[in-house]
Amino acid sequence: MAHVRKAAVTLVVALALSLVLVPRPAHATPPNIPSYATALSRLNSLTVAAESHQSSYNRDLFPHWSTVTGTCNTREQVLKRDGTNVTVDASCYPTSGSWYSPYDGLTRTSPTQIDIDHVVPLAEAWRSGAWSWTTSRRQTYANDLGGPELWAVTSTVNQSKGDKDPAAWKPPRAAFHCTYARAWIQVKWYYSLSVDSAEKSALASMLNTC
């Protein structure tokens, strides 16, 4: 019996070590992503309206990558928050680490291959009501670390998305559609931005995957 117990203990220890030693990608999880029920309720409370003011949009109207603390700006804060084993230099620029991109399921080890995506793009926010905001409020929006607005994703997937809403673009990783929709809805709701009818329908369909 003793040798059986010893073998069992050895197996348990081996399994425990395997769980510790096997590297797993860090999944970026910005704060305040609502539950399915809350997201659905908030989606239904949003104002439905056609987009407007596209011709007057300029990215410079949303001052972004503001200094957050010390030498770290918003982009660098997200890289530190969402990466694994991230080290930075005196200027807060990452010198090592890895980043898992939840949009496409890819992992990158160079910060030059990672973009910080505004889940609701700045141009989309402008078309949905931010055209009437003060510059200060647009700056707050573009640097918002308190909600699910900023995500570390591969440059490739971010460029593919551009400024499209969910009616025109969805993350290629279908398993992320539920989270993406809940994050998008939260940002629109928190900032009292409108949705157009096609966008609302797409968001409702994505919530159905939850």
Side-chain angles (χ1 to χ4, degrees):
M1 286 295 293
H3 73 278
V4 173
R5 286 196 298 272
K6 183 177 180 180
V9 170
T10 301
L11 178 60
V12 169
V13 171
L15 287 172
L17 286 174
S18 71
L19 291 174
V20 172
L21 297 176
V22 173
R24 299 181 185 277
H27 290 244
T29 308
N32 294 318
I33 300 173
S35 66
Y36 162 80
T38 299
L40 181 60
S41 174
R42 289 177 178 173
L43 174 62
N44 289 328
S45 74
L46 295 176
T47 298
V48 178
E51 295 177 348
S52 64
H53 293 77
Q54 171 61 30
S55 62
S56 58
Y57 170 71
N58 187 315
R59 190 172 175 83
D60 292 340
L61 294 167
F62 290 80
H64 53 286
W65 309 158
S66 303
T67 299
V68 177
T69 179
T71 60
C72 298
N73 64 26
T74 310
R75 170 183 162 77
E76 292 158 344
Q77 283 291 104
V78 176
L79 287 171
K80 289 200 300 179
R81 181 193 71 189
D82 294 347
T84 300
N85 299 323
V86 177
T87 59
V88 299
D89 61 20
S91 299
C92 203
Y93 188 80
T95 55
S96 65
S98 64
W99 291 268
Y100 173 78
S101 169
Y103 288 12
D104 50 13
L106 301 177
T107 298
R108 295 287 181 260
T109 56
S110 171
T112 62
Q113 296 178 303
I114 295 295
D115 285 352
I116 306 306
D117 179 54
H118 292 89
V119 68
V120 176
L122 303 182
E124 167 68 19
W126 178 267
R127 298 189 295 259
S128 304
W131 57 268
S132 68
W133 294 353
T134 62
T135 299
S136 176
R137 182 161 176 79
R138 287 194 288 268
Q139 181 172 10
T140 296
Y141 178 88
N143 296 277
D144 186 1
L145 291 166
E149 168 68 341
L150 301 174
W151 296 76
V153 300
T154 61
S155 300
T156 303
V157 80
N158 190 44
Q159 291 164 15
S160 170
K161 173 183 173 179
D163 66 355
K164 303 179 186 76
D165 72 22
W169 187 92
K170 298 176 180 63
R173 181 170 164 257
F176 190 66
H177 287 183
C178 169
T179 302
Y180 187 82
R182 289 185 289 132
W184 183 287
I185 291 164
Q186 173 64 16
V187 172
K188 285 263 173 145
W189 173 83
Y190 184 82
Y191 284 97
S192 300
L193 295 169
S194 63
V195 291
D196 62 42
S197 57
E199 174 190 355
K200 182 175 181 179
S201 177
L203 288 165
S205 294
M206 292 172 80
L207 284 181
N208 286 337
T209 68
C210 293

